Amino acid sequence: MSAAPAEPVYRNPVLDADWSDPDVIRVGDDFYLTASSFGRVPGLPLLHSRDLVNWTLVGHALQRLEPESEFAAPRHDCGVWAPSLRHHDGRFWIFWGDPDRGVFQVNAPEIRGPWTRPHLVKAGKGLIDPCPLWDDETGEAYLVHAWAKSRSGVKNRLTGHRMHPHGTELLDEGKVIVDGDRIPGWFTLEGPKLYRHDGWFWIFAPAGGVETGWQGAFRSRAFFGPYEEKVVLEQKDTDVNGPHQGGWVRTPSGEDWFLHFQQRGAYGRVVHLQPMRWGGGGGWPVIGDDGAPVAEHRRPDLPPQPPAAPATDDDFPGGRPGRQWQWTANPRDGWATHHSADGLRLTCVRTPDAHDLRALPNVLTQRLPGTPCTVEVDLRLDDGEPGARAGLAVLGDAYSWIGLQRGPDGTVRLVHRFAETVADQERDAAPPRPAPGGRARLRVDIDAGARCRFSYDTGETGDTANTADTGDGAGQGGFRPSGQVFAATPWRWVGALLGLVALAPTGQGHAGTATFTQFRIRIQEKRADR
C-alpha cells in the first residue's frame, strides 16, 4: 500500500527532542543536519531528510572523543559544542568547538563516512561555535567563532580568521569582527553561522541567552567588517521562547528556510523549521511570520515524503544497540556482548561509583522524547555477584532509576532509587520487592511537564494489564506503581536522557550480566502526521 499523502502543513517542532545547536545543508536533493553531542559517544549525529520536515538518523561522524583519556569518565556538558556542517570540494566538513581544547574539524567523502579523525585547527580555551566559509567568488576561506566566558573570561563577541582552503589551519591571529558589547542591549552573542549572499558576508548569530534570547543577522561587504546588525527572529507573542541558533538552507526551487532550536527544560533543545525570504526592508532576511516563530506553516515545495523520525525502539539484534544510543563516555571493550540472538547483554561493570549513575561511563543513553510518552523495557539479571544491579533510568542533574539487584543471599529484588541534584549518592525511592526468576518489565510514564511515574511488572500473576495506583505497589497483578512522581531535570546544557545501565560494586572477578529486550517508546498524545 502507498503511504498516506502528507498534510499540506507541518507543525513545529519538526525534531521533538534534544537535537541541540542544529546546523543544516543541502547537497543535491538531500538535506543533512548535525547537532551538539557534548560528552556522549558516538558524537556528531548525522540526520537526513528530503523535505526538511521528516528526519532520520543515519550515523555519527565522531566515533570517540579525544583526547581519549579525558573522556574515559563522563563530562556531560563538555566535548562537542555547536558544530557547523558544510559541503565543499566534494567533501562533507564538520567544525566544532571543544571549550577546553579548541576548534576541531573532521571531513568525509560521503555523509556516512569514512570520517577523518579529529584535527585541531586552533588550540585554546573558550573557543566555541566555529563556522567555516569557502568563498567561491574569490577562492578565499574564512572561519568565525564565538567565546565561552567560563574558560576564557571573554564572551559576547565573534572573532574572524582567514583560513587555509584545505581547512587545516588558520592564516592569522584573528580579529574581533562583531563586538556585542558595542551594540546596545545585546549580550551573550554566540553560535555564528557564516554565509555569502548577494555580495554580502552574512553572519546569523543569536544573543540574549538560550531561554529568553533572539536570533540576529549581521552583514558586511568585507569579511573583517564593519558589520551592521538586525534582529530577525524573536519570541514576540508566541510560546516559542528564545528562538535560537540554527542554519539557513535553500531548496532546489529557490525557497529559503531556517532551522533553529527552542530550549525546553528537561526536554533539551527541540528543533523548529521557519519559512524565510530575502528582501525585507533593505535586503535583510525575514524569518517566520514577520520575525515571529510559526507553530505551523505550509510545507516546503519539495516532493512529499512518508512520515519519519529518528528511531527510538530497539530489539538489539545481535546484541548491538541502534544508532540512537550513546554512551556517557568513551566505551571500553566488554561493556556489551555481541551474540546471535536479540537483546542487549550488558556486563555488570564493577565500579566504586555504584552509588551515583551520573559518574558512570557505561550508561547507554538516548534522548528523552519531547512529547508525553511511555517507555518500557524487559530486563533479566543473569547469574552474578551480590550487589550486581541493572535498570532503566531517567538521567540528568538529578536522576531516578528502577531495576533489579541481587542480594547477599542470591535472590533478586526489584529496586527503585533516585538522587537529587545536590546529593552525591542515591537513596531508595520505594522499598525493595521480590522479583521471581530475576526478571521484570520496567516502565516509566512521562507527562507534558517531564514528570515521570515509574512502574514494574515482575510477572507474578502472569497478568500484564495496568493496575490502579495504590501507592504501595500492592496492585492485583500487572504493572504496579513504584515511588513518588519524579521531575526530570536537564544537565546544564543537555536535556534529560533515558538510560540503560548494569553495574556492580568493586571486587574481584566477573560480576554477571544483564539482558535488556524489547525497548519501546509509545507516544501518548500523538500529533497529526507531520
Side-chain angles (χ1 to χ4, degrees):
M1 295 178 63
S2 60
E7 290 190 45
V9 300
Y10 70 89
R11 296 171 180 84
N12 276 317
V14 293
L15 283 167
D16 201 358
D18 187 22
W19 301 94
S20 177
D21 312 317
D23 194 23
V24 62
I25 60 170
R26 178 178 65 86
V27 180
D29 293 328
D30 297 284
F31 298 91
Y32 300 103
L33 181 147
T34 191
S36 294
S37 50
F38 298 97
R40 301 191 303 278
V41 182
L44 289 174
L46 304 167
L47 287 81
H48 170 255
S49 178
R50 283 291 184 94
D51 63 1
L52 291 172
V53 174
N54 295 283
W55 294 87
T56 56
L57 179 64
V58 297
H60 292 82
L62 191 61
Q63 296 307 307
R64 299 184 72 82
L65 289 166
E66 297 186 5
E68 291 202 18
S69 61
E70 293 188 11
F71 292 94
R75 301 179 66 202
H76 295 287
D77 294 315
C78 300
V80 176
W81 284 25
S84 291
L85 174 62
R86 294 292 181 264
H87 189 261
H88 167 70
D89 197 25
R91 299 185 71 85
F92 292 87
W93 302 77
I94 301 178
F95 285 68
W96 76 93
D98 178 324
D100 300 300
R101 300 279 297 175
V103 173
F104 286 87
Q105 167 259 103
V106 291
N107 61 86
E110 304 289 342
I111 195 67
R112 290 172 175 82
W115 289 86
T116 61
R117 286 188 61 175
H119 174 79
L120 185 61
V121 178
K122 180 182 180 181
K125 288 187 175 293
L127 310 179
I128 59 171
D129 308 350
C131 184
L133 171 70
W134 286 270
D135 187 349
D136 293 333
E137 296 180 20
T138 65
E140 298 287 329
Y142 305 96
L143 184 129
V144 62
H145 69 80
W147 294 86
K149 187 175 181 179
S150 59
R151 272 69 163 190
S152 65
V154 176
K155 73 167 190 174
N156 204 33
R157 63 191 64 173
L158 306 179
T159 295
H161 293 267
R162 292 180 60 244
M163 182 176 72
H164 194 290
H166 291 165
T168 55
E169 61 182 314
L170 303 179
L171 302 180
D172 55 36
E173 294 300 312
K175 174 185 175 184
V176 174
I177 57 176
V178 180
D179 186 346
D181 290 343
R182 295 179 178 272
I183 307 173
W186 285 59
F187 59 96
T188 316
L189 176 63
E190 58 187 348
K193 294 293 182 282
L194 181 59
Y195 305 98
R196 199 85 154 92
H197 173 68
D198 196 26
W200 297 85
F201 287 91
W202 290 89
I203 300 174
F204 286 39
V210 295
E211 294 184 352
T212 59
W214 56 90
Q215 180 69 38
F218 300 81
R219 70 180 182 184
S220 174
R221 291 295 185 183
F223 172 71
F224 287 104
Y227 283 83
E228 52 185 322
E229 80 283 342
K230 183 180 177 67
V231 174
V232 292
L233 187 69
E234 55 187 327
Q235 180 172 355
K236 296 190 176 180
D237 59 356
T238 75
D239 61 0
V240 181
N241 59 294
H244 218 75
Q245 192 165 335
W248 161 46
V249 67
R250 175 167 284 177
T251 69
S253 66
E255 287 185 344
D256 295 302
W257 296 86
F258 184 74
L259 283 142
H260 68 92
F261 76 73
Q262 175 198 10
Q263 174 71 34
R264 289 188 53 217
Y267 296 115
R269 299 171 177 181
V270 303
V271 178
H272 291 240
L273 175 67
Q274 302 295 336
M276 175 176 148
R277 61 182 174 84
W278 291 93
W284 291 88
V286 179
I287 300 178
D289 180 8
D290 196 24
V294 300
E296 64 178 41
H297 193 269
R298 174 189 56 80
R299 284 174 171 264
D301 180 21
L302 293 163
Q305 302 295 320
T312 56
D313 296 355
D314 206 347
D315 288 319
F316 309 105
R320 293 172 172 83
R323 294 188 183 102
Q324 66 268 36
W325 297 96
Q326 297 170 291
W327 298 100
T328 48
N330 281 327
R332 302 171 198 167
D333 291 340
W335 284 359
T337 302
H338 296 167
H339 53 86
S340 60
D342 287 353
L344 177 68
R345 190 176 299 162
L346 294 184
T347 299
C348 294
V349 176
R350 292 191 180 276
T351 174
D353 296 312
H355 58 282
D356 189 352
L357 299 191
R358 294 164 297 199
L360 299 184
N362 59 305
V363 184
L364 194 62
T365 68
Q366 65 167 284
R367 293 161 178 83
L368 188 72
T371 302
C373 65
T374 296
V375 183
E376 291 185 9
V377 68
D378 282 331
L379 170 61
R380 183 183 75 237
L381 190 61
D382 300 318
D383 291 341
E385 294 292 311
R389 67 202 74 164
L392 168 67
V394 177
L395 184 65
D397 208 23
Y399 70 85
S400 186
W401 71 278
I402 190 168
L404 300 173
Q405 179 169 330
R406 188 172 298 279
D409 60 356
T411 62
V412 177
R413 301 182 74 83
L414 191 291
V415 296
H416 181 193
R417 300 195 173 106
F418 77 100
E420 301 166 85
T421 300
V422 296
D424 58 3
Q425 64 181 36
E426 63 189 27
R427 55 194 178 102
D428 286 333
R433 304 173 176 92
R439 296 171 178 266
R441 185 149 183 87
L442 311 173
R443 173 188 284 180
V444 56
D445 292 293
I446 307 171
D447 70 14
R451 292 181 295 270
C452 305
R453 293 172 173 82
F454 289 82
S455 57
Y456 66 96
D457 176 15
T458 56
E460 290 181 81
T461 67
D463 179 8
T464 58
N466 286 322
T467 60
D469 187 349
T470 64
D472 60 2
Q476 302 303 309
F479 278 99
R480 305 183 180 191
S482 181
Q484 301 299 315
V485 173
F486 169 75
T489 64
W491 310 93
R492 186 176 184 188
W493 307 124
V494 180
L497 301 166
L498 298 171
L500 303 177
V501 64
L503 65 147
T506 54
Q508 299 297 316
H510 186 63
T513 60
T515 301
F516 295 87
T517 54
Q518 298 185 62
F519 182 91
R520 299 289 184 269
I521 296 180
R522 185 174 70 252
I523 300 301
Q524 295 174 358
E525 299 176 4
K526 189 173 179 60
R527 299 179 300 172
D529 286 344
R530 296 175 301 169

